[in-house]
Amino acid sequence: MEFSEFDIELVKRAREGSQEAFEELIRRHSRYMFGIAYGLLNTTEDAEEIVQDAFLKAYRNLQSLRDDKLFFSWLCRITLNMSRNRYNWNKIRGKGQNVSINEGVSADNENKGEMELLSDLAQPDKELEKKEIEKFILQAMESLPEIFREPLVLRHIKDLSYKEIADILNLNIDTVKTRISRGRAILASKIKNKI
Amino acid sequence: MKEKEKFEKCPDFEVLSAFSDSEIDKESVEYQHIQACPICQKRLDGLKKLNFAISSSLIDVIQGKDIEEKVIKALNYEKKRESFNIENYLQFFLRIAAVFAIFALVIFYFSKLLIKKEENFSSITSKVSSENETKKDSTQTKQKNIQISSKIHDTSITSPLNGFNINDVKSTGTGTEMDFHKVLFDDNKTGSAFIKPVVKHNWIWNEENKQMPIVKQIIEKYGEIQNISENTFYINITKENLVKLVRKIKNFGFKLLSDEEPMPETTIFAGNPDEVVQYCATFICKQ
């Protein structure tokens, strides 16, 4: 995780009341938070709103942060929780897709999808346009159950280690490992179907 | 044997996924297998492409976003709103302070008014005193006072004891509550009192003097006495007569225990002289 000494110093200064320091933290981390929110919600407006609210919440509650080094994971947790709430709200209002945790593909299908996708992606003549694939991936991610989507987004948005993801999501490392692989398998299967 | 089997068998997708994230121990059998197995390498290439596609799709979303400035704007707005709230609080406290200030001014005004009335009362008292001085030297004034005193029904009551003698009652006002009235006595003593609607006096008397029946007779001349107990009398009496009665009782040799107005020295009082008050006198035998 790229949370440097400089970031820690910024957090310290922000806690002492420096708004400039907090603004610098915003500049350095807001895009990643946006990526997390977007990865979970798949709408720009919602994600922007979530990031703004998450930073404001962090700003108001900065004094309650136990350790300056934990700022990033704390901010991630705030963003995740807000995104979850918004996702559920959207689901109630019928905006989002309601996907069961058990939905997706069976283990056999997963493996089949994985194998087919991997071979498809490996063949240059069947390669789709990059943008097309990205579009499919984002759509497929939106339909992923939360439990798979969250660790996957955290892993891919900032290359967080399994341990860091486990800390943020309050899970053990093995669960994170399983969920990431399951998420990827489901994604591979869905992308394959789209293609 | 098991290790050998493990090495020969391709690991499942979960291990491959962890491998692609560099989350597999390099010393493990799985790691060694994936490194060496061409099938796993092919699967791994596909998985890496998938990972790259996921990462790039997310990174593309955040690229070119001016989210930082939006968040900073929101932060500044929040700060502004906070300061606005402080202004609101200030306004609230200022309003409370203004109300208190007005309240204090009103209290100050009324206290000044009260002081002014007391000053008026004092000036009237001193005026009465000077009139007393004048009376001493002027027979005409005395005669006039006697004429006025004839209006009072109890002028016939003169004390046979201690030289008590009411000469006159002089009104200095129209009889409203805040007017002042003077009772003149021969000894020219001066004093003043506010008489409450209910006056209670405790008097000490000496049994040996046997004055108690006489006092009762004197009180009876002012109205119908009601005995509350053997030595406590209750009577409805005008303010003016009350001043006279108190003076009379004193001159009989009784000593007033309480400080309740009117004191025996009182020659002036506020309010309507004809206003009836309740007077309760208790005579305590001196042991």
Side-chain angles (χ1 to χ4, degrees):
Chain A
M1 184 168 21
E2 295 168 22
F3 201 65
S4 62
E5 288 297 317
F6 181 60
D7 285 309
I8 295 169
E9 181 61 28
L10 286 174
V11 174
K12 190 183 166 195
R13 281 174 51 206
R15 273 155 71 97
E16 287 165 0
S18 167
Q19 195 184 327
E20 289 76 20
F22 196 79
E23 285 179 6
E24 187 55 33
L25 283 168
I26 291 171
R27 286 190 191 94
R28 290 169 69 82
H29 299 290
S30 59
R31 286 186 186 209
Y32 293 114
M33 296 306 130
F34 177 80
I36 291 170
Y38 188 89
L40 298 178
L41 296 165
N42 206 21
T43 71
T44 307
E45 295 78 17
D46 282 352
E48 280 183 358
E49 214 174 295
I50 292 297
V51 175
Q52 287 178 16
D53 291 348
F55 271 98
L56 288 181
K57 190 172 183 181
Y59 182 74
R60 287 190 209 110
N61 298 291
L62 205 53
Q63 299 305 326
S64 66
L65 181 63
R66 284 173 290 132
D67 186 351
D68 294 349
K69 289 175 193 166
L70 300 175
F71 177 79
F72 183 77
S73 53
W74 179 60
L75 189 61
C76 283
R77 257 196 301 276
I78 293 173
T79 309
L80 268 171
N81 285 333
M82 287 185 154
S83 301
R84 276 178 197 159
N85 291 341
R86 179 61 64 92
Y87 178 78
N88 290 330
W89 173 245
N90 287 347
K91 236 169 37 172
I92 291 165
R93 292 175 64 204
K95 271 177 78 177
Q97 290 182 24
N98 192 352
V99 181
S100 151
I101 287 171
N102 298 320
E103 192 189 325
V105 287
S106 67
D108 290 343
N109 282 343
E110 274 178 32
N111 291 334
K112 193 182 169 190
E114 174 227 333
M115 293 310 294
E116 285 175 356
L117 171 87
L118 299 185
S119 58
D120 284 348
L121 287 176
Q123 291 171 21
D125 59 321
K126 285 191 177 180
E127 197 174 328
L128 287 173
E129 286 290 323
K130 188 169 169 276
K131 289 282 174 192
E132 284 283 304
I133 294 174
E134 283 174 10
K135 191 182 166 190
F136 283 138
I137 285 172
L138 288 173
Q139 281 174 351
M141 280 186 72
E142 193 188 356
S143 66
L144 272 183
E146 276 176 64
I147 57 163
F148 303 136
R149 194 166 62 231
E150 286 175 0
L152 207 57
V153 167
L154 288 171
R155 171 65 201 166
H156 285 281
I157 201 75
K158 207 167 162 45
D159 261 350
L160 296 182
S161 70
Y162 285 6
K163 185 181 181 312
E164 288 164 343
I165 296 169
D167 285 344
I168 291 170
L169 296 176
N170 202 21
L171 298 170
N172 66 52
I173 294 175
D174 285 339
T175 307
V176 170
K177 187 176 160 184
T178 305
R179 288 186 181 181
I180 286 176
S181 72
R182 288 254 305 162
R184 280 172 177 159
I186 295 170
L187 269 185
S189 165
K190 284 182 183 290
I191 288 166
K192 170 65 189 162
N193 290 340
K194 288 277 182 187
I195 293 166
Chain B
M1 187 65 186
K2 275 188 179 177
E3 282 295 309
K4 196 183 172 187
E5 278 178 12
K6 209 173 181 181
F7 189 82
E8 284 170 357
K9 192 183 171 188
C10 287
D12 60 15
F13 186 68
E14 187 175 317
V15 177
L16 201 68
S17 168
F19 184 92
S20 71
D21 291 330
S22 308
E23 294 277 350
I24 292 282
D25 182 10
K26 286 182 182 175
E27 303 299 319
S28 67
V29 178
E30 289 91 346
Y31 187 89
Q32 301 295 331
H33 174 95
I34 295 167
Q35 286 282 51
C37 174
I39 300 166
C40 286
Q41 281 299 315
K42 196 181 172 186
R43 290 169 70 205
L44 189 64
D45 283 345
L47 182 59
K48 280 180 178 173
K49 284 180 182 173
L50 173 71
N51 289 348
F52 177 78
I54 296 169
S55 294
S56 60
S57 61
L58 288 170
I59 298 296
D60 271 10
V61 165
I62 64 173
Q63 290 297 330
K65 273 277 160 202
D66 56 346
I67 185 73
E68 299 94 338
E69 294 312 313
K70 285 182 180 171
V71 178
I72 289 170
K73 261 186 191 174
L75 180 72
N76 288 330
Y77 177 76
E78 173 77 3
K79 291 279 283 181
K80 203 175 171 183
R81 206 166 63 89
E82 270 179 16
S83 64
F84 178 72
N85 283 343
I86 288 167
E87 282 172 16
N88 277 353
Y89 284 129
L90 278 175
Q91 281 178 2
F92 175 69
F93 283 117
L94 279 174
R95 278 176 197 158
I96 288 177
V99 168
F100 271 109
I102 290 167
F103 188 66
L105 277 173
V106 168
I107 289 175
F108 179 71
Y109 173 75
F110 278 109
S111 63
K112 287 287 265 184
L113 205 68
L114 204 65
I115 289 166
K116 201 175 173 183
K117 280 179 179 173
E118 281 176 3
E119 282 171 359
N120 282 344
F121 181 73
S122 302
S123 67
I124 289 165
T125 309
S126 59
K127 194 178 170 184
V128 168
S129 301
S130 64
E131 280 176 6
N132 274 344
E133 291 291 325
T134 312
K135 187 173 117 331
K136 240 179 184 180
D137 302 326
S138 170
T139 314
Q140 282 184 344
T141 308
K142 194 174 178 181
Q143 284 172 346
K144 190 182 174 186
N145 284 342
I146 289 165
Q147 282 174 358
I148 295 167
S149 70
S150 65
K151 291 189 288 184
I152 311 303
H153 70 272
D154 68 339
T155 45
S156 58
I157 302 165
T158 53
S159 171
L161 302 168
N162 302 326
F164 175 71
N165 186 24
I166 296 171
N167 283 323
D168 198 3
V169 174
K170 183 183 179 184
S171 173
T172 59
T174 57
T176 58
E177 187 58 36
M178 290 313 293
D179 289 331
F180 300 96
H181 298 272
K182 183 187 171 192
V183 182
L184 296 177
F185 302 104
D186 272 352
D187 55 7
N188 294 316
K189 283 185 180 174
T190 58
S192 60
F194 284 104
I195 301 171
K196 293 178 181 176
V198 178
V199 179
K200 192 175 179 184
H201 278 171
N202 291 316
W203 298 91
I204 288 185
W205 67 290
N206 191 337
E207 200 175 10
E208 288 174 8
N209 290 341
K210 306 288 182 188
Q211 290 169 338
M212 192 58 197
I214 303 168
V215 170
K216 197 176 174 185
Q217 282 174 18
I218 295 296
I219 296 173
E220 273 172 343
K221 292 192 176 181
Y222 290 94
E224 191 186 341
I225 289 182
Q226 292 177 24
N227 274 64
I228 294 173
S229 66
E230 190 184 349
N231 292 327
T232 301
F233 306 103
Y234 167 84
I235 187 173
N236 288 327
I237 188 169
T238 63
K239 282 185 176 180
E240 196 176 281
N241 288 342
L242 178 61
V243 174
K244 293 172 195 166
L245 177 62
V246 169
R247 182 64 170 251
K248 270 185 196 175
I249 297 171
K250 187 218 170 187
N251 285 326
F252 267 97
F254 287 80
K255 189 181 173 187
L256 187 62
L257 271 183
S258 61
D259 292 333
E260 187 74 44
E261 297 286 3
M263 303 296 280
E265 292 76 17
T266 298
T267 57
I268 186 168
F269 62 91
N272 190 335
D274 297 324
E275 188 184 344
V276 176
V277 296
Q278 293 175 351
Y279 181 59
C280 182
T282 302
F283 295 89
I284 303 158
C285 175
K286 191 176 179 182
Q287 297 296 325

